Amino acid sequence: MNDAERGLDDLEQRDAFVGRHIGPTAESQRAMLRHIGVVSMDAFVDQVVPSSILSSEPMDLGEGCTETEALAEIGRLADANQVYRSLIGMGYYGSHLPGVIQRNLLENPAWYTAYTPYQAEISQGRLEALLNFQTMVMDLTGMELANASLLDEATAAAEAMVMCQRLSRSKSDCFFVDSGCHPQTLAVVRTRAEPLGIKVVVGSAATDLAQLDVFAALLQYPDSRGEVTDHSAVIEQLHQRKAMAVLATDLLALTLLRSPGDMGADVVIGSSQRFGVPMGYGGPHAAFLATRDANKRATPGRIIGVSTDVRGEPAYRMALQTREQHIRREKATSNICTAQALLAIIASMYAVYHGPEGLTTIARRTHRLTRILALGLTRLGVGIETRCYFDTLTLRSDGNAEAIHRAARARRINLRQIDADRVGVALDETVDRDLVAALLEAFAEVLGGTPSAVSELDQAVATVIPEALQRQGAILSHPVFHRHQSETAMLRYMRHLADKDLALDRSMIPLGSCTMKLNATSEMIPIGWPGFCALHPFAPLDQTQGYQDLFKALESMLCACTGYDAVSLQPNSGAQGEYAGLLAIRAYHRSRGEGHRDVCLIPSSAHGTNPASAHLAGMRVVVVQCDAEGNVDLDDLRAKAAQHGDALAAVMVTYPSTHGVFETTIRELCDLVHEFGGQVYLDGANLNAQVGLAAPGHYGADVSHLNLHKTFCIPHGGGGPGVGPIGVRAHLAPFLPKMAVLDTVTEGSVGPVSAAPWGSAGILPITWMYIRMMGREGLVDATRVALLNANYIARRLRAHYPVLYTGASGMVAHECILDLRPIKEQSGVTVDDVAKRLVDYGFHSPTMSFPVAGTLMIEPTESESKEELDRFCDAMIAIRKEIQKVAEGTWPQDDNPLSNAPHTVSDLAEAEWSHPYTREQAAFPLAGLRQYKYWSPVGRIDNVQGDRNLVCSCPPIESYQGVA
């Protein structure tokens, strides 16, 4: 067909986004269907998806559009938000993200498409950046260990509370929260405490704590209204009573203030948001938790450690209990799976770029402007309640608060609304002299008088931080914080780290259960627009109409995709969504006078966060067995449901199953649980196998969390951000989580599970863009091709590796599990050997040993082309031939390309080569690798040594000798 023969509709269809997102062309899809042995896509879907759940009605979504059209639409939403200068504080501050970091990290797919660094050899770049984050936090807090990282400051406080209950020698069940803590932190702590039977007591640490028996106390430093207090005496009192002290703090303030560790704190938590991360209407931001070395095995979240590779060279890895919920399951003290890795990396690079002198300069400038403002307000007759402060003031205005807010907003400035008599103002690195002058003018307009000039005030300010509270000694002394202050050096450092890693921009990442699909550039563009990234989460609602419209539209989109009646966007990770969904079920039962229902049935194959979340929601976990085909054993389920009778609260089931198949009895399972009065929690981790074909809300589920970072294209970012909204049927809608600060939590309602009202709102435009561009038919096509790609791989590889589980028709769902256990018995080659050898072929490993030990779980997603699928299959088939040589004795079990993988440049550069295979076989096992080769920067890493000798900060200065 030539151009004259093409109609306009055909030309516009060729410009649609769907064809950019879906990897295989129509011709490739037909070829794959022929290989599988089916005649059409419809016939294929009929074989894969049980007819009992196939949707008969199309989703209530519009048609897809082009990238240009979608960007124009979302641009109008961004423009509907009013970007005022928000000096509200409460843990959220304006900051300047250096352009070199924005362009080369936040907007660089080498960073944002990377996966969680479970396979350490191909993650050395992001692991180093996260180690820098830990070092930065440890140094500024004065603690011996830090994690990398947590979701937000409020949930970090909740994690610290549970951690302290586990560690404290006190027998009390009370957790004290100082009234100076941020209100959203208190709200989330209360939500987390109630199901665990922890009593939260709020009061003044200075006057009330001495009379209370508590296992730990949470103090804010500086506090929410700006006061900087020496907590040493209170901490000492707590220790004398066998209780622990948690300090919530501010990293920028700590460049000038005495460290919490120096005061004796046991745990220090906070947010790194103001280190270059936009406010984003509440997130995502990387929180941190730092503690003493003695508490390392009780520390939640991920910890990056230093070990060595086979050559004895330093190498980074995740250490200790970084996925402890998979080991402890229902006994886990945390359900953390996602961390805010990308945001932690940005914060760490902000510190690397500015260095200690740059950070202290920003802090001193912010503090000095605050002192100038305080003096100017004092001259206007404003009462300043904050005596010792860093950047935040609480001002008494004697009934004039509303008038002051109006005057400030007339100048496009938001202040904190405390009450009718008091106003809060928090300065940050974006504030300048003109803004301080505008603030003084606003107060003068209401109170009368003439404001002093900023230059005059600058000459008259006095010190307000006493010497005892001032920072002593150097900060951030490690060389990494001194070497990269020029843009050239910073640019090269980030490039150097990115080159070490294998992310989606290099090759397919075939991780089962993790859905590493395309994160399209057009989806990412809006998150950097000021209309989305520069809003404070507690800005007045009339300034956020664009966001409100986006939330409403996105909730409707997600309801259409799932068949549910209502959605909460608040949970800022998949595990948070699990937790919120179970809290909704718990509250629903209580509202019906059935609060005794506390048993949660969970299949033995479940993701480890499921039982951990159930435990944190105050439920008792009862395990249901799976049959030989990997399906939930309905006989065992019925027996367990009958055994627990009216104590049954819920079942948690993943669908398609964790074993990668559509179980044909899912409707029967839902009906059975409902028969016994329970609710069905359907884990939405595998929703990408269902969108447009089946809807959980239609075939019997009551609630699901939806992994927007899986099914709906928010990128993984090296292990976060994630977003896990929950969809619910109408009867559970009243029990969606309330919003901190904006809502009142009443008896029977569910409190907030995240600090910000809409969680990680700043990245929700990504999912809006994806759904808007794909449209109803595009989403259906994506699901079909995701299923097709998985079955194509399973069919190509089944002659070489046993496919462990299939459905009734011999098909898998969106992922397949290869069983390497017989291969190990035959050859001695382990699943780890295959995973490391795949690095030599240029691939990230599939998911190892989950949900079955000794297996590989592969999920190709719809974004990968047939050519890339074939490249992966060719690699796996070539590896199988290598295994056969080991089995036949051609290569010894302890010296072969698999046991020695991955091979580095240093390996090949050795003068002597003593292995029974050639250098070419080591590095270039397939001819195409000569043109496009990824080199692992390190050899295989010694995990045992790393756990036995935990080092979780940057290597010592001596290791940098001779480094340019």
Side-chain angles (χ1 to χ4, degrees), residues 913-936:
W913 183 263
S914 58
H915 304 297
Y917 54 95
T918 67
R919 299 178 201 256
E920 182 178 28
Q921 288 172 316
F924 305 112
L926 292 177
L929 292 169
R930 288 186 174 276
Q931 297 178 1
Y932 186 81
K933 173 69 178 177
Y934 167 79
W935 292 97
S936 177

Side-chain angles (χ1 to χ4, degrees), residues 24 207 280 347 524 649 861 888 907 963:
T207 60
M524 299 295 293
T861 85
E888 293 170 350
D907 291 331
V963 178

Side-chain angles (χ1 to χ4, degrees), residues 228 256-257 388-389 463-472:
V228 177
L256 303 183
L257 298 179
C388 179
Y389 53 82
T463 300
V464 296
I465 301 176
E467 186 175 351
L469 280 173
Q470 293 178 18
R471 188 89 189 196
Q472 302 298 320

Side-chain angles (χ1 to χ4, degrees), residues 49-55 655 663-668 698-699:
V49 184
S51 59
S52 61
I53 67 168
L54 271 173
S55 298
Y655 197 77
E663 300 181 39
T664 58
T665 57
I666 186 64
R667 278 190 180 271
E668 186 180 348
H698 293 162
Y699 57 72

Side-chain angles (χ1 to χ4, degrees), residues 248-267:
T249 193
D250 179 307
L251 293 178
L252 188 64
L254 292 183
T255 64
L256 303 183
L257 298 179
R258 181 183 176 192
S259 75
D262 191 42
M263 290 183 183
D266 300 289
V267 183

